[in-house]
Amino acid sequence: MIRKIFSAILFLIMLYGCDSRQMKTAEIEIVIFSPLDSTNNGHFPTPIQELIKPLEGTCTPKANIVFDPIVFSRVDINQKQQLQYKTNKATDYTKIKAVERSLRVFMEDSLMPKFLLAPQDINFAVDDYINGKNGNENYVIFKTSDDNTPTSALPKYGNMTDLKGAISKLICEKNLSKIYILYEPQRTSGKNINIDNKSKSDSKIDTPPPHLLANGLKQEILDVLMHIRDTHNSGANRLRLANDAMHTTFSKDFYVIMHNDDARALERIWERGDGIKYLKRIATDDSITGFEVLKVETNTTDNKVSHIEIVEKHNK
Amino acid sequence: MKYLAIIFLLFITTNLFSQANTIPPADIPRIKQQAKDYIFEFARYMQKLGSDAGLTPEARTAIGDNLISLFDEDATIQVLNLRKNKNTYAIAPYIKNVVALYTKRFKFVIFKFKSITYDFNNLTPVKNSNGEITAYKFTYTFVQDFCVTNQDTDSETWDPKKLESYDVCEETTKTGEIIIKKRVSPTIGARWVVLLGSIQVNKIDDLKD
């Protein structure tokens, strides 16, 4: 009997002990040098989906590495834009499975924003980019072609395992908090090619189907709202999350249409600019059990959410 | 003949206006549900203001703002002071005062609705001086327990389950109005909205007597 109890305790220690690794975070910026491949039904290319996943059990002593925020930028277009994904916005940071699940929703359900697919304005070689920087210790090159031209002083990684090994080394051994991953273009291989207007207009961009984009956003908004209403968090923390969401996710003129429990009552509206009052309401109301996100709209200028329509569910 | 035409035109215009201000029958059940939701939200937040000692000033302000948004801007509330005199206050300053007062003065507040009766069958039109319908209203009556413990009460002997732990404990019967108004929302246009209206005190029983 004692042996059985001892074995059970040992099993539990093993089970939970595995998950008690130290959690490190680092910002990554994926710097892109040409339009991303849109053949994956408008979703992010598989190597990028793989690249942003947390690193489990790297470093000595073993630690998990979560990338936060994850930034996408393009250096080859005139209009500078960035996509920033805040990993901790929609998930419980301490659980690596929750981070992975949230990233999967972001990557698989969301479609790439248009600027990642837009035609190239300027041709920029990775090496020219690196040479223009003062220090390069936090840069890693990820090559997506078979080109092996020796170029900059930095090694190029074409294999995901090697690339991730290099990233974890920078974070674990050099304690770097931000890593730039230079996502090398498939076509140019370091040689400058002028793109004239004709080729620009000929580049065909698949427009992501709006419903797919909407589904990804709906899940993201649901995560944000659930996090704010989570009564396991302190009241002050819930209000902080509401204020943070106004900076990261929602636009200043954000408005809300809310239906209460299956639209049995008239809808309630928080007009343009009053959206923050709605977020504060869910941060202070303990009777909300969940939401159904019916509609999400974003601004074209900053990609922030300008309108949501939801069903609010309450304890009966 | 000219006068007849003018009278006819006036009749048509008035008729059209009153039709535009008629609540569609399909909306009536949703209005009733909205009224119930608002009353429960009102009770829930008043209770939270009184009993959640961990609320930060920002949370109290957020709750106060939400409470005010449930009420019509012209609504008033009748309350009894310690000398049992009835005082009437405009709702927004009253709620703002409650937000501040509950923290400073009371250690614990019970604000519990024991029963609510809705007089939904008497939907009354509200007319302006020109005889035009500007809103509708109906009433609800609720019985509420309102008990407070002052901040200076000895915390070691205090027990929320014991009546003697409260400095004031009353059962109050009140009647409130539900106002249904047409409002123009910049986002979705004209629509009917439900708001809580003025609240009157009917009867008070001291539970400590």
Side-chain angles (χ1 to χ4, degrees):
Chain A
M1 183 63 185
I2 290 171
R3 190 182 286 177
K4 277 183 183 171
I5 293 170
F6 181 73
S7 305
I9 292 169
L10 199 65
F11 175 74
L12 286 171
I13 289 171
M14 282 171 68
L15 190 70
Y16 290 102
C18 294
D19 214 24
S20 60
R21 283 176 187 150
Q22 194 199 344
M23 187 75 90
K24 278 176 174 274
T25 58
E27 178 179 348
I28 56 166
E29 181 168 340
I30 301 170
V31 184
I32 298 158
F33 290 78
S34 68
L36 283 183
D37 177 14
S38 62
T39 52
N40 191 17
N41 290 324
H43 300 296
F44 283 86
T46 314
I48 287 192
Q49 295 197 18
E50 186 57 37
L51 179 60
I52 63 165
K53 282 183 184 168
L55 304 175
E56 274 191 85
T58 56
C59 301
T60 313
K62 285 193 170 183
N64 295 329
I65 299 171
V66 171
F67 300 121
D68 181 44
I70 300 162
V71 180
F72 295 86
S73 61
R74 273 186 72 180
V75 291
D76 61 324
I77 52 174
N78 289 329
Q79 204 179 358
K80 297 295 171 218
Q81 281 192 56
Q82 278 194 340
L83 168 69
Q84 191 181 69
Y85 182 76
K86 297 276 292 172
T87 313
N88 73 338
K89 180 181 64 180
T91 187
D92 181 353
Y93 224 62
T94 56
K95 293 180 187 136
I96 203 152
K97 292 289 169 212
V99 176
E100 282 176 349
R101 198 163 45 243
S102 152
L103 281 173
R104 201 163 48 240
V105 169
F106 169 57
M107 284 276 131
E108 292 177 6
D109 286 3
S110 307
L111 295 168
M112 286 183 279
K114 283 181 182 166
F115 84 92
L116 292 177
L117 304 165
Q120 195 171 44
D121 294 320
I122 319 146
N123 185 256
F124 222 130
V126 170
D127 302 301
D128 294 340
Y129 182 83
I130 282 286
N131 294 336
K133 302 282 172 191
N134 287 331
N136 58 16
E137 66 166 6
N138 49 353
Y139 287 84
V140 189
I141 303 174
F142 181 40
K143 61 169 187 168
T144 55
S145 66
D146 293 333
D147 174 50
N148 284 318
T149 319
T151 46
S152 67
L154 293 173
K156 293 182 177 183
Y157 299 94
N159 173 303
M160 189 58 71
T161 315
D162 294 345
L163 176 75
K164 290 198 158 188
I167 295 170
S168 64
K169 226 173 186 179
L170 292 176
I171 297 166
C172 302
E173 291 174 15
K174 296 197 172 180
N175 269 328
L176 297 178
S177 58
K178 177 160 184 175
I179 310 290
Y180 293 89
I181 296 156
L182 307 183
Y183 196 77
E184 194 179 50
Q186 291 178 356
R187 295 176 298 169
T188 58
S189 306
K191 293 183 182 69
N192 287 345
I193 296 169
N194 289 323
I195 306 233
D196 58 21
N197 289 336
K198 185 175 180 299
S199 63
K200 259 194 228 175
S201 59
D202 283 351
S203 341
K204 195 180 172 191
I205 302 165
D206 291 339
T207 311
H211 72 279
L212 285 178
L213 183 63
N215 283 342
L217 267 177
K218 279 179 185 173
Q219 183 59 47
E220 197 181 326
I221 295 302
L222 180 64
D223 285 347
V224 172
L225 299 179
M226 289 299 282
H227 215 37
I228 295 172
R229 68 106 253 156
D230 188 351
T231 47
H232 294 103
N233 287 328
S234 70
N237 204 20
R238 287 165 69 189
L239 275 169
R240 186 186 57 77
L241 289 169
N243 287 323
D244 286 353
M246 274 311 292
H247 291 113
T248 55
T249 308
F250 300 104
S251 65
K252 277 183 183 166
D253 64 346
F254 152 62
Y255 74 100
V256 182
I257 297 180
M258 186 270 276
H259 305 271
N260 217 346
D261 286 320
D262 309 324
R264 285 182 293 113
L266 289 181
E267 67 281 347
R268 201 166 154 190
I269 300 178
W270 283 261
E271 297 288 358
R272 281 187 195 283
D274 282 347
I276 179 64
K277 289 185 183 168
Y278 177 72
L279 296 183
K280 285 185 175 181
R281 176 177 168 277
I282 62 172
T284 50
D285 194 327
D286 298 340
S287 90
I288 300 171
T289 55
F291 305 90
E292 186 186 339
V293 180
L294 304 176
K295 193 175 176 184
V296 180
E297 284 175 6
T298 51
N299 280 334
T300 48
T301 46
D302 57 4
N303 275 335
K304 285 192 172 178
V305 173
S306 57
H307 165 51
I308 58 170
E309 186 166 351
I310 51 165
V311 176
E312 206 177 73
K313 295 167 185 179
H314 284 258
N315 266 329
K316 290 289 166 206
Chain B
M1 192 63 189
K2 202 196 281 177
Y3 290 115
L4 269 177
I6 290 169
I7 289 166
F8 179 72
L9 267 175
L10 272 174
F11 174 76
I12 294 286
T13 318
T14 316
N15 221 21
L16 276 176
F17 187 83
S18 60
Q19 267 182 12
N21 276 338
T22 306
I23 300 173
D27 277 354
I28 302 277
R30 298 176 70 213
I31 284 171
K32 291 176 181 174
Q33 184 60 44
Q34 180 86 306
K36 287 181 186 175
D37 289 344
Y38 273 28
I39 293 162
F40 281 111
E41 195 160 325
F42 168 50
R44 195 162 70 233
Y45 274 124
M46 291 297 281
Q47 172 66 41
K48 194 171 170 72
L49 274 177
S51 58
D52 190 343
L55 284 177
T56 60
E58 192 191 359
R60 288 182 179 278
T61 307
I63 289 175
D65 287 346
N66 187 53
L67 273 168
I68 292 167
S69 76
L70 299 175
F71 282 88
D72 182 48
E73 60 268 25
D74 296 329
T76 57
I77 187 162
Q78 198 175 54
V79 287
L80 285 174
N81 64 17
L82 290 174
R83 292 190 197 107
K84 309 285 178 196
N85 293 326
K86 286 179 184 176
N87 286 332
T88 303
Y89 302 97
I91 198 76
Y94 170 77
I95 287 173
K96 282 180 184 165
N97 189 42
V98 161
V99 167
L101 190 72
Y102 272 25
T103 337
K104 284 183 200 157
R105 195 166 147 196
F106 302 132
K107 181 180 166 184
F108 194 82
V109 178
I110 291 179
F111 190 98
K112 190 170 73 182
F113 278 21
K114 288 163 93 176
S115 67
I116 310 171
T117 351
Y118 305 93
D119 194 5
F120 281 150
N121 294 326
N122 289 318
L123 193 65
T124 319
V126 180
K127 294 182 179 177
N128 64 13
S129 53
N130 297 328
E132 295 156 351
I133 297 172
T134 55
Y136 290 86
K137 67 177 176 187
F138 53 79
T139 57
Y140 64 101
T141 302
F142 60 98
V143 180
Q144 142 208 315
D145 272 356
F146 180 74
C147 304
V148 295
T149 306
N150 291 330
Q151 279 291 8
D152 53 9
T153 302
D154 184 3
S155 57
E156 281 181 17
T157 56
W158 186 78
D159 180 352
K161 289 175 192 159
K162 288 182 182 166
L163 196 59
E164 57 267 27
S165 291
Y166 294 94
D167 296 294
V168 176
C169 202
E170 297 164 339
E171 185 191 81
T172 317
T173 308
K174 293 184 173 183
T175 299
E177 288 174 342
I178 303 285
I179 311 283
I180 303 130
K181 276 184 172 174
K182 208 166 205 178
R183 276 202 176 158
V184 179
S185 154
T187 47
I188 63 167
R191 64 192 197 102
W192 290 102
V193 294
V194 175
L195 294 158
L196 299 181
S198 297
I199 296 172
Q200 305 283 324
V201 176
N202 301 341
K203 187 180 154 220
I204 294 213
D205 291 317
D206 197 333
L207 295 172
K208 293 192 71 160
D209 282 348

